[in-house]
Amino acid sequence: MLHIINKSPFEKTSFQSCVKHAAAGSTFLLIEDGVYAGIANTEISEHLAKAKEIGKVVALTSDVESRGLQEKLDGDIEQVDYAGFVSLAAECDRVQSWL
Amino acid sequence: MSDNKKFLYVNRRAPYGTVYALESLEVVLIGAAFDQEVSLLFVDDGVFQIKKDQDTKNADMKNFSATYRALGDYDVTKLYVSKESLEARGLTQDDLFPLTYEDEDDDWAEKSSIIMVSADEIKDLMEDQDVILSF
């Protein structure tokens, strides 16, 4: 399943709840303010670590760049553009948005 | 014109995902035109508003971060930033825009507008205000 998170983990617990409820092999896509969940060494790092154990964590490049986070993300996070976003949604059998 | 009042604008939301950050900044600029004593506080996700290196070229959104750099010209020279909010988010003062103003009482010397504060200092700062607008 592709899980899409669009809110900051410091403002809402959607990211944390998503990670808690995601089955092994899930892919996590961070978009909009959700990209803040990808920053290295924050107070929610344990949740990011758990997501990485479960599956791939991916971030939308234009949202990362808009927020000035290019140098601040965890090294294991892959980035995609909009075309990549579409490919991910097509590859995964289901998509769930955590607003 | 009534007495000069102390206005504090409290910014707690990240930029771009919602419109609060931009709206807050626009209200600050309008308020500054009325000659009150204006300061800003960046706390919680508000600290992300002044994160440097914002580049919206691929995002179809207006990059309004340059407007923070203009605040000094509007006599808004005190930008308080929560140390603890930065740390919780894996950031330091080096990750922020180096926001400055020119001090007319000191030969127009360029000085930092950013004032790092602890939670206890924020308590006192808030108690000291006449008007608080929170976004």
Side-chain angles (χ1 to χ4, degrees):
Chain A
M1 191 180 308
L2 176 65
H3 297 271
I4 304 177
I5 298 102
N6 81 329
K7 287 282 186 277
S8 162
F10 308 103
E11 185 203 341
K12 273 189 98 170
T13 55
S14 305
F15 176 67
Q16 292 85 323
S17 183
C18 169
V19 174
K20 186 173 176 177
H21 300 106
S26 293
T27 297
F28 302 91
L29 174 62
L30 307 176
I31 67 169
E32 296 167 19
D33 286 346
V35 299
Y36 289 118
I39 298 174
N41 302 313
T42 70
E43 66 178 6
I44 61 105
S45 286
E46 61 175 287
H47 300 279
L48 180 60
K50 192 165 167 209
K52 291 198 293 175
E53 276 169 41
I54 292 170
K56 253 190 333 183
V57 181
V58 186
L60 189 59
T61 301
S62 55
D63 287 327
V64 171
E65 289 172 343
S66 299
R67 293 161 179 74
L69 300 177
Q70 279 298 16
E71 308 294 313
K72 307 303 296 184
L73 294 189
D74 179 284
D76 295 321
I77 295 181
E78 296 174 31
Q79 288 190 38
V80 292
D81 57 12
Y82 282 101
F85 182 166
V86 171
S87 299
L88 274 179
E91 277 163 26
C92 293
D93 51 350
R94 281 152 305 164
V95 178
Q96 184 176 182
S97 286
W98 295 77
L99 303 176
Chain B
M1 179 69 89
S2 53
D3 291 8
N4 198 251
K5 289 196 159 119
K6 288 188 173 162
F7 279 72
L8 178 67
Y9 293 80
V10 178
N11 297 295
R12 301 182 49 240
R13 315 284 299 256
Y16 304 114
T18 61
V19 82
Y20 290 91
L22 178 57
E23 291 286 318
S24 167
L25 191 54
E26 300 202 327
V27 175
V28 167
L29 294 173
I30 293 167
F34 286 88
D35 231 15
Q36 302 300 299
E37 196 181 322
V38 171
S39 47
L40 269 56
L41 169 63
F42 296 93
V43 65
D44 300 331
D45 277 356
V47 299
F48 288 131
Q49 292 178 25
I50 50 174
K51 170 76 186 66
K52 65 185 184 193
D53 299 332
Q54 292 177 28
D55 180 0
T56 64
K57 68 175 183 292
N58 291 316
D60 247 353
M61 283 188 291
K62 180 179 164 198
N63 183 347
F64 59 92
S65 59
T67 310
Y68 293 100
R69 273 171 277 173
L71 286 173
D73 298 334
Y74 285 78
D75 266 336
V76 179
T77 61
K78 288 182 272 191
L79 307 178
Y80 296 95
V81 178
S82 163
K83 273 183 225 153
E84 288 148 32
S85 296
L86 281 180
E87 276 163 22
R89 290 157 179 75
L91 301 178
T92 66
Q93 190 172 354
D94 285 336
D95 289 307
L96 306 180
F97 287 116
L99 300 168
T100 60
Y101 68 100
E102 287 165 351
D103 190 345
E104 62 179 321
D105 297 326
D106 192 6
D107 208 26
W108 303 100
E110 195 178 356
K111 298 187 176 168
S112 174
S113 310
I114 292 184
I115 304 165
M116 302 295 290
V117 285
S118 65
D120 282 338
E121 287 168 322
I122 290 173
K123 290 176 195 174
D124 293 335
L125 173 67
M126 288 179 167
E127 288 298 311
D128 199 39
Q129 304 300 315
D130 296 306
V131 180
I132 299 186
L133 296 170
S134 190
F135 293 85

